[in-house]
Amino acid sequence: MIIKSCFRYSVKFLALVIVVFTSSLFTKVFAQISASNAVYQTVTEYTSTTNDPIFVFCDQIGTGVGELRADSPDGTSGWTFVWTKWESGTGDFTQAVLTEANQSFSMTANLTDGRYRVVISKSGETDVSSIAWVLNNANANPVLSLNRMDCVGVHFLGSFTKNNLQYQDVPNANQLNVQVDDRVIFSLQRNGEETVRTPFPNYDGTDKSFIDQDAYEGEESYELVVTDQYGCEFTSDVLLSETYVVKADFSVNPERGEAPLDVTINNLSVNANDFQWFLYQDYDKILEDATSVEDSLLTGAIITDEDPAIYTYQNSGEYFIKLIVKSDKGPDVCMDEMILTTPIVVDTSLVQVPNVFTPNGDGRNDVWRIKTQSLFLESFHAIVFNRWGRVVYEWKNPEDGWNGKVNGKMATPGTYFYVITAVGRDEPEKKYTKKGSFMLIRK
């Protein structure tokens, strides 16, 4: 069995080599005729006479768009080109098409289906004759119809009647089919962009199903573009449709920072009118639905607003977000969810500032001291101002603080303001600046 299989593939390979070699010889023999606008080229398969080239053209309007070019044998001018068309009734090229004199090449356009010959002549030179078939591929446009809409997407049906091109077996009157890879490609397009692309070998003209599963809002336009077996494209009439598909989507900014960290959540969901946000710290549990606000896995509460806008993470750690959205725009309630798989990283704050202190000499909270991660600090600077903007105290050692005195005297109780700048050892290029106010109280 192995020997037979190898022999069979060897024969196929040899046949392919012969075809390629024959095609190469054919190109040389018929080099005087070409068709740059042809979408498909092949060779006739006459039963008894020398074969001719076949050029297939996409004819969207069905009037004949074939175009042939002939070049002089030596590339010089001074040649006469006589184009004629073959008539099956007379069995000869008796229909005049175009004559051009003193040229180096000649082109004839708007040709209908048929077999054409060009005779290239010049005084003192041998006449050259070339023959080629022109076949215009004109099809009816495909048909696209809306089948239904649901939570999966918009469902369509599409069909196409393909044209099988034929030519005449010379000198017989029998019609022969153009040999081609019989494959048709359907492309469903929304607003000019392809959404579904499906090839159909040996397509039989029956309805085919397509689904656009994308979520969008409003009404958009659809077309079915069919590429037939010859490479020509045909487009259906425009069909307008909306969709019920819902999509959960959001982004967060920033994705990392020190506590307390304000994170902006940007809701990018499509077609949704019901929202539930779940803020988790345990990724292994995020896939489970939270059943109550008291769920210990949540960092806060279940948020049901459309857009939670800014959420403040007070403590360090890694946090995840899950969004569940629903839509009742269609006959069924559609649902989707998105999980933030890359965590929001909240680092421990470099500096923590108290909002009140009581310098009354009782040994408790007598110094306004800033809590810092001194091991992680490259530099530190703190300044305290009074309500008039005058500096009352400043220091650079994070272990120091203000004892509530100005020039050795007790400062007046009330509100004071501070500016703290710090640079971390891990990110020396990043400067942290913290501004705010605190109360000095004497009891």
Side-chain angles (χ1 to χ4, degrees):
M1 294 300 292
I2 296 177
I3 295 176
K4 289 183 180 180
S5 177
C6 291
F7 176 76
R8 181 171 67 253
Y9 288 118
S10 297
V11 170
K12 288 185 176 180
F13 177 76
L14 179 59
L16 177 61
V17 171
I18 292 174
V19 169
V20 172
F21 178 72
T22 303
S23 175
S24 176
L25 290 179
F26 167 79
T27 301
K28 294 179 181 179
V29 173
F30 294 98
Q32 291 82 11
I33 253 189
S34 61
S36 60
N37 292 334
V39 293
Y40 183 73
Q41 301 181 26
T42 187
V43 183
T44 61
E45 295 184 352
Y46 299 143
T47 55
S48 59
T49 57
T50 302
N51 288 314
D52 299 323
I54 298 175
F55 298 104
V56 177
F57 300 85
C58 297
D59 189 359
Q60 302 289 350
I61 57 179
T63 60
V65 295
E67 182 178 277
L68 298 178
R69 170 175 173 144
D71 290 274
S72 63
D74 58 5
T76 64
S77 60
W79 292 82
T80 298
F81 296 79
V82 179
W83 294 91
T84 52
K85 184 178 182 181
W86 186 70
E87 294 186 358
S88 59
T90 62
D92 200 358
F93 293 90
T94 55
Q95 183 178 340
V97 176
L98 175 67
T99 299
E100 291 186 308
N102 197 29
Q103 303 291 322
S104 62
F105 71 92
S106 176
M107 294 185 65
T108 178
N110 299 321
L111 301 177
T112 57
D113 291 355
R115 186 174 179 230
Y116 293 85
R117 182 181 69 181
V118 60
V119 177
I120 310 173
S121 61
K122 185 178 185 180
S123 178
E125 302 287 346
T126 302
D127 292 354
V128 177
S129 177
S130 295
I131 299 174
W133 277 92
V134 168
L135 295 178
N136 293 283
N137 184 24
N139 274 300
N141 287 331
V143 176
L144 179 67
S145 60
L146 178 63
N147 188 14
R148 69 182 188 279
M149 287 184 287
D150 54 25
C151 292
V152 176
V154 186
H155 299 253
F156 298 92
L157 291 177
S159 62
F160 176 69
T161 303
K162 64 183 180 181
N163 185 22
N164 294 314
L165 299 178
Q166 294 183 323
Y167 60 93
Q168 189 168 335
D169 185 7
V170 179
N172 301 319
N174 298 329
Q175 294 294 310
L176 301 177
N177 292 323
V178 175
Q179 297 302 307
V180 66
D181 180 16
D182 191 8
R183 187 181 72 151
V184 173
I185 300 175
F186 281 48
S187 170
L188 180 66
Q189 300 187 2
R190 185 179 76 244
N191 296 336
E193 297 292 332
E194 184 174 80
T195 60
V196 180
R197 183 179 182 86
T198 308
F200 294 105
N202 303 314
Y203 174 65
D204 59 2
T206 57
D207 282 338
K208 298 298 181 181
S209 299
F210 305 92
I211 306 175
D212 180 8
Q213 302 184 51
D214 291 343
Y216 58 85
E217 295 180 346
E219 193 174 58
E220 300 195 351
S221 61
Y222 287 89
E223 292 176 311
L224 179 62
V225 178
V226 175
T227 304
D228 71 2
Q229 67 271 39
Y230 305 106
C232 295
E233 289 188 354
F234 299 91
T235 305
S236 71
D237 293 336
V238 175
L239 183 66
L240 300 178
S241 179
E242 56 183 0
T243 185
Y244 301 148
V245 176
V246 64
K247 179 182 179 181
D249 190 16
F250 64 89
S251 64
V252 296
N253 184 49
E255 298 178 354
R256 182 168 190 153
E258 67 174 46
L261 180 64
D262 292 334
V263 176
T264 299
I265 304 175
N266 185 21
N267 189 359
L268 305 174
S269 300
V270 180
N271 269 341
N273 51 22
D274 184 87
F275 306 85
Q276 282 190 311
W277 300 86
F278 302 90
L279 290 82
Y280 290 86
Q281 195 169 8
D282 189 335
Y283 181 73
D284 293 333
K285 297 293 185 179
I286 195 172
L287 300 179
E288 300 178 5
D289 289 336
T291 57
S292 69
V293 175
E294 291 78 17
D295 191 325
S296 62
L297 300 176
L298 296 174
T299 66
I302 302 174
I303 305 172
T304 57
D305 294 335
E306 176 179 347
D307 191 343
I310 297 178
Y311 187 85
T312 301
Y313 290 89
Q314 299 290 347
N315 303 309
S316 62
E318 294 186 347
Y319 299 94
F320 302 89
I321 298 176
K322 177 168 72 172
L323 169 62
I324 298 178
V325 297
K326 297 178 182 179
S327 172
D328 57 2
K329 292 185 177 182
D332 301 318
V333 175
C334 302
M335 181 183 300
D336 190 36
E337 71 174 40
M338 176 184 171
I339 298 173
L340 183 69
T341 56
T342 302
I344 298 170
V345 179
V346 183
D347 298 319
T348 302
S349 178
L350 286 177
V351 294
Q352 297 181 19
V353 182
N355 58 10
V356 65
F357 84 120
T358 57
N360 54 11
D362 63 357
R364 295 181 300 174
N365 198 24
D366 286 336
V367 178
W368 191 74
R369 183 175 287 114
I370 300 165
K371 296 180 181 179
T372 67
Q373 299 183 62
S374 58
L375 294 178
F376 299 98
L377 288 179
E378 181 71 24
S379 64
F380 172 87
H381 187 206
I383 305 176
V384 176
F385 304 85
N386 61 19
R387 72 179 73 181
W388 296 281
R390 181 177 299 174
V391 176
V392 297
Y393 195 74
E394 64 179 307
W395 65 103
K396 293 186 178 181
N397 184 351
E399 301 299 324
D400 293 342
W402 183 39
N403 61 5
K405 293 182 179 181
V406 180
N407 297 325
K409 298 181 179 180
M410 293 293 183
T412 304
T415 301
Y416 289 81
F417 303 89
Y418 65 85
V419 175
I420 301 169
T421 57
V423 176
R425 294 184 184 276
D426 293 339
E427 297 181 274
E429 74 284 352
K430 184 176 180 179
K431 179 183 289 186
Y432 293 85
T433 301
K434 198 175 189 71
K435 300 178 181 180
S437 63
F438 62 95
M439 293 292 296
L440 187 158
I441 301 174
R442 297 190 190 279
K443 296 182 180 179

